[in-house]
Short mmCIF file of all heavy atoms in Angstrom, two decimals:
data_model
loop_
_atom_site.label_atom_id
_atom_site.label_comp_id
_atom_site.label_asym_id
_atom_site.label_seq_id
_atom_site.Cartn_x
_atom_site.Cartn_y
_atom_site.Cartn_z
N TRP A 539 102.27 24.23 75.75
CA TRP A 539 103.26 23.57 76.61
C TRP A 539 102.73 23.44 78.03
O TRP A 539 102.83 22.38 78.66
CB TRP A 539 104.56 24.36 76.58
CG TRP A 539 105.70 23.84 77.40
CD1 TRP A 539 106.01 24.16 78.68
CD2 TRP A 539 106.70 22.89 76.99
NE1 TRP A 539 107.15 23.50 79.09
CE2 TRP A 539 107.59 22.71 78.07
CE3 TRP A 539 106.94 22.19 75.81
CZ2 TRP A 539 108.70 21.87 78.01
CZ3 TRP A 539 108.05 21.34 75.75
CH2 TRP A 539 108.90 21.18 76.83
N ALA A 540 102.15 24.52 78.55
CA ALA A 540 101.60 24.49 79.90
C ALA A 540 100.52 23.41 80.02
O ALA A 540 100.43 22.71 81.04
CB ALA A 540 101.04 25.86 80.28
N SER A 541 99.73 23.25 78.97
CA SER A 541 98.64 22.26 79.02
C SER A 541 99.16 20.84 79.08
O SER A 541 98.45 19.92 79.50
CB SER A 541 97.72 22.43 77.81
OG SER A 541 98.33 21.96 76.61
N MET A 542 100.41 20.61 78.67
CA MET A 542 100.98 19.27 78.67
C MET A 542 101.31 18.77 80.08
O MET A 542 101.59 17.58 80.26
CB MET A 542 102.25 19.23 77.80
CG MET A 542 101.99 19.36 76.31
SD MET A 542 100.95 17.99 75.66
CE MET A 542 99.35 18.79 75.61
N PHE A 543 101.28 19.66 81.07
CA PHE A 543 101.55 19.23 82.45
C PHE A 543 100.29 18.76 83.16
O PHE A 543 100.36 18.31 84.31
CB PHE A 543 102.23 20.36 83.23
CG PHE A 543 103.65 20.60 82.80
CD1 PHE A 543 103.94 21.51 81.79
CD2 PHE A 543 104.70 19.89 83.37
CE1 PHE A 543 105.25 21.73 81.38
CE2 PHE A 543 106.00 20.09 82.96
CZ PHE A 543 106.29 21.01 81.96
N ALA A 544 99.15 18.86 82.50
CA ALA A 544 97.90 18.35 83.09
C ALA A 544 98.06 16.86 83.37
O ALA A 544 98.74 16.13 82.63
CB ALA A 544 96.74 18.61 82.14
N TYR A 545 97.42 16.39 84.42
CA TYR A 545 97.61 15.00 84.84
C TYR A 545 97.14 14.01 83.77
O TYR A 545 97.68 12.91 83.66
CB TYR A 545 96.88 14.74 86.15
CG TYR A 545 97.38 15.61 87.28
CD1 TYR A 545 96.51 16.42 88.00
CD2 TYR A 545 98.73 15.62 87.63
CE1 TYR A 545 96.97 17.22 89.04
CE2 TYR A 545 99.20 16.42 88.66
CZ TYR A 545 98.31 17.22 89.36
OH TYR A 545 98.78 18.02 90.38
N ASP A 546 96.18 14.42 82.94
CA ASP A 546 95.71 13.50 81.90
C ASP A 546 96.55 13.59 80.63
O ASP A 546 96.35 12.83 79.69
CB ASP A 546 94.23 13.75 81.57
CG ASP A 546 93.97 15.16 81.06
OD1 ASP A 546 94.91 16.00 81.10
OD2 ASP A 546 92.84 15.43 80.60
N GLN A 547 97.50 14.52 80.59
CA GLN A 547 98.41 14.62 79.45
C GLN A 547 99.79 14.05 79.78
O GLN A 547 100.38 13.32 79.00
CB GLN A 547 98.56 16.10 79.03
CG GLN A 547 97.29 16.72 78.46
CD GLN A 547 96.92 16.15 77.11
OE1 GLN A 547 97.78 15.67 76.37
NE2 GLN A 547 95.63 16.18 76.79
N TYR A 548 100.31 14.42 80.95
CA TYR A 548 101.62 13.95 81.39
C TYR A 548 101.37 12.66 82.18
O TYR A 548 101.18 12.67 83.39
CB TYR A 548 102.27 15.01 82.26
CG TYR A 548 103.71 14.79 82.64
CD1 TYR A 548 104.43 15.80 83.26
CD2 TYR A 548 104.38 13.59 82.40
CE1 TYR A 548 105.76 15.64 83.64
CE2 TYR A 548 105.70 13.41 82.76
CZ TYR A 548 106.38 14.44 83.39
OH TYR A 548 107.70 14.26 83.75
N GLU A 549 101.34 11.56 81.46
CA GLU A 549 100.97 10.29 82.07
C GLU A 549 101.94 9.91 83.18
O GLU A 549 103.15 10.02 83.03
CB GLU A 549 100.92 9.19 81.00
CG GLU A 549 99.81 9.38 79.98
CD GLU A 549 99.73 8.23 78.99
OE1 GLU A 549 100.36 7.19 79.26
OE2 GLU A 549 99.06 8.40 77.96
N GLY A 550 101.37 9.44 84.29
CA GLY A 550 102.19 9.03 85.42
C GLY A 550 102.52 10.14 86.38
O GLY A 550 103.09 9.90 87.44
N SER A 551 102.18 11.39 86.03
CA SER A 551 102.50 12.50 86.93
C SER A 551 101.46 12.61 88.03
O SER A 551 100.31 12.19 87.88
CB SER A 551 102.58 13.81 86.14
OG SER A 551 101.34 14.16 85.59
N MET A 552 101.87 13.18 89.15
CA MET A 552 100.98 13.42 90.29
C MET A 552 101.32 14.77 90.88
O MET A 552 102.29 15.43 90.46
CB MET A 552 101.15 12.31 91.34
CG MET A 552 100.63 10.96 90.91
SD MET A 552 100.94 9.65 92.14
CE MET A 552 100.15 10.33 93.60
N GLU A 553 100.56 15.17 91.88
CA GLU A 553 100.74 16.52 92.44
C GLU A 553 102.06 16.70 93.16
O GLU A 553 102.46 17.83 93.42
CB GLU A 553 99.57 16.87 93.37
CG GLU A 553 99.32 15.88 94.48
CD GLU A 553 98.27 14.85 94.11
OE1 GLU A 553 98.22 14.42 92.93
OE2 GLU A 553 97.50 14.46 95.00
N ASN A 554 102.76 15.62 93.49
CA ASN A 554 104.07 15.77 94.13
C ASN A 554 105.22 15.61 93.14
O ASN A 554 106.36 15.40 93.53
CB ASN A 554 104.24 14.79 95.29
CG ASN A 554 104.23 13.34 94.87
OD1 ASN A 554 103.63 12.99 93.85
ND2 ASN A 554 104.87 12.47 95.65
N LEU A 555 104.92 15.77 91.83
CA LEU A 555 105.97 15.77 90.80
C LEU A 555 106.17 17.20 90.31
O LEU A 555 105.22 17.85 89.84
CB LEU A 555 105.59 14.87 89.63
CG LEU A 555 106.64 14.80 88.51
CD1 LEU A 555 107.91 14.11 88.99
CD2 LEU A 555 106.07 14.07 87.28
N TYR A 556 107.39 17.68 90.42
CA TYR A 556 107.73 19.04 89.99
C TYR A 556 108.76 18.97 88.86
O TYR A 556 109.11 17.88 88.41
CB TYR A 556 108.23 19.85 91.18
CG TYR A 556 107.16 20.04 92.25
CD1 TYR A 556 106.91 19.05 93.20
CD2 TYR A 556 106.40 21.20 92.30
CE1 TYR A 556 105.93 19.22 94.16
CE2 TYR A 556 105.42 21.38 93.26
CZ TYR A 556 105.19 20.38 94.19
OH TYR A 556 104.22 20.55 95.14
N THR A 557 109.24 20.12 88.39
CA THR A 557 109.92 20.14 87.09
C THR A 557 111.24 20.88 87.12
O THR A 557 111.39 21.91 87.80
CB THR A 557 109.00 20.78 86.03
OG1 THR A 557 107.73 20.12 86.06
CG2 THR A 557 109.59 20.63 84.63
N TRP A 558 112.16 20.36 86.31
CA TRP A 558 113.50 20.91 86.11
C TRP A 558 113.67 21.17 84.62
O TRP A 558 113.56 20.25 83.81
CB TRP A 558 114.50 19.90 86.63
CG TRP A 558 115.95 20.12 86.38
CD1 TRP A 558 116.58 21.25 85.97
CD2 TRP A 558 116.98 19.14 86.55
NE1 TRP A 558 117.93 21.05 85.88
CE2 TRP A 558 118.20 19.76 86.23
CE3 TRP A 558 116.98 17.80 86.95
CZ2 TRP A 558 119.42 19.07 86.29
CZ3 TRP A 558 118.19 17.13 87.01
CH2 TRP A 558 119.40 17.76 86.69
N ASN A 559 113.92 22.43 84.23
CA ASN A 559 114.21 22.80 82.84
C ASN A 559 115.71 23.00 82.70
O ASN A 559 116.27 23.98 83.18
CB ASN A 559 113.51 24.10 82.44
CG ASN A 559 112.00 23.99 82.44
OD1 ASN A 559 111.30 24.95 82.78
ND2 ASN A 559 111.47 22.85 82.01
N ASP A 560 116.36 22.08 82.00
CA ASP A 560 117.80 22.15 81.75
C ASP A 560 118.01 22.44 80.27
O ASP A 560 117.06 22.42 79.47
CB ASP A 560 118.43 20.82 82.15
CG ASP A 560 119.94 20.90 82.34
OD1 ASP A 560 120.50 22.00 82.21
OD2 ASP A 560 120.54 19.84 82.60
N MET A 561 119.24 22.71 79.88
CA MET A 561 119.64 22.81 78.46
C MET A 561 118.84 23.87 77.70
O MET A 561 118.73 23.83 76.48
CB MET A 561 119.45 21.46 77.75
CG MET A 561 119.95 20.25 78.51
SD MET A 561 121.73 20.24 78.80
CE MET A 561 122.34 19.82 77.17
N ASN A 562 118.30 24.86 78.42
CA ASN A 562 117.37 25.80 77.80
C ASN A 562 118.01 27.14 77.44
O ASN A 562 117.36 28.16 77.38
CB ASN A 562 116.14 26.02 78.69
CG ASN A 562 116.48 26.46 80.10
OD1 ASN A 562 117.59 26.27 80.58
ND2 ASN A 562 115.51 27.02 80.79
N GLU A 563 119.32 27.09 77.11
CA GLU A 563 119.99 28.34 76.70
C GLU A 563 119.53 28.87 75.32
O GLU A 563 119.55 30.11 75.19
CB GLU A 563 121.52 28.11 76.67
CG GLU A 563 122.12 27.91 78.03
CD GLU A 563 121.82 26.54 78.64
OE1 GLU A 563 121.61 25.57 77.88
OE2 GLU A 563 121.77 26.44 79.88
N PRO A 564 119.20 28.13 74.31
CA PRO A 564 119.09 26.67 74.24
C PRO A 564 120.42 26.02 73.88
O PRO A 564 121.26 26.62 73.21
CB PRO A 564 118.08 26.47 73.10
CG PRO A 564 118.33 27.63 72.19
CD PRO A 564 118.71 28.78 73.07
N SER A 565 120.58 24.76 74.33
CA SER A 565 121.77 23.99 74.01
C SER A 565 121.55 23.23 72.70
O SER A 565 120.55 22.54 72.54
CB SER A 565 122.07 23.00 75.13
OG SER A 565 123.19 22.21 74.82
N VAL A 566 122.48 23.42 71.77
CA VAL A 566 122.46 22.71 70.48
C VAL A 566 123.88 22.18 70.27
O VAL A 566 124.79 22.95 69.98
CB VAL A 566 122.04 23.63 69.31
CG1 VAL A 566 121.96 22.85 68.01
CG2 VAL A 566 120.72 24.33 69.60
N PHE A 567 124.06 20.88 70.43
CA PHE A 567 125.42 20.33 70.44
C PHE A 567 126.19 20.65 69.16
O PHE A 567 127.39 20.84 69.19
CB PHE A 567 125.37 18.81 70.63
CG PHE A 567 124.92 18.38 72.00
CD1 PHE A 567 124.42 17.10 72.21
CD2 PHE A 567 125.01 19.23 73.10
CE1 PHE A 567 124.01 16.69 73.46
CE2 PHE A 567 124.59 18.83 74.36
CZ PHE A 567 124.09 17.55 74.55
N ASN A 568 125.51 20.66 68.03
CA ASN A 568 126.19 20.89 66.75
C ASN A 568 125.94 22.31 66.23
O ASN A 568 126.12 22.58 65.04
CB ASN A 568 125.74 19.87 65.70
CG ASN A 568 124.25 19.94 65.41
OD1 ASN A 568 123.48 20.41 66.24
ND2 ASN A 568 123.85 19.49 64.24
N GLY A 569 125.56 23.22 67.11
CA GLY A 569 125.34 24.60 66.71
C GLY A 569 126.53 25.47 67.04
O GLY A 569 127.45 25.05 67.76
N PRO A 570 126.54 26.69 66.54
CA PRO A 570 127.65 27.60 66.85
C PRO A 570 127.66 27.92 68.34
O PRO A 570 126.64 28.26 68.93
CB PRO A 570 127.31 28.85 66.02
CG PRO A 570 125.84 28.76 65.77
CD PRO A 570 125.51 27.30 65.70
N GLU A 571 128.82 27.76 68.97
CA GLU A 571 128.98 27.96 70.41
C GLU A 571 128.02 27.09 71.23
O GLU A 571 127.54 27.47 72.29
CB GLU A 571 128.80 29.44 70.78
CG GLU A 571 129.78 30.37 70.08
CD GLU A 571 129.77 31.75 70.68
OE1 GLU A 571 128.95 32.58 70.22
OE2 GLU A 571 130.55 32.01 71.61
#
Side-chain angles (χ1 to χ4, degrees):
W539 180 268
S541 73
M542 290 299 99
F543 288 91
Y545 299 125
D546 60 352
Q547 294 291 334
Y548 189 170
E549 293 184 14
S551 65
M552 290 176 57
E553 54 266 37
N554 64 333
L555 181 67
Y556 296 82
T557 308
W558 171 15
N559 295 145
D560 197 3
M561 315 296 285
N562 55 340
E563 291 74 28
S565 178
V566 183
F567 291 159
N568 61 336
E571 301 192 271

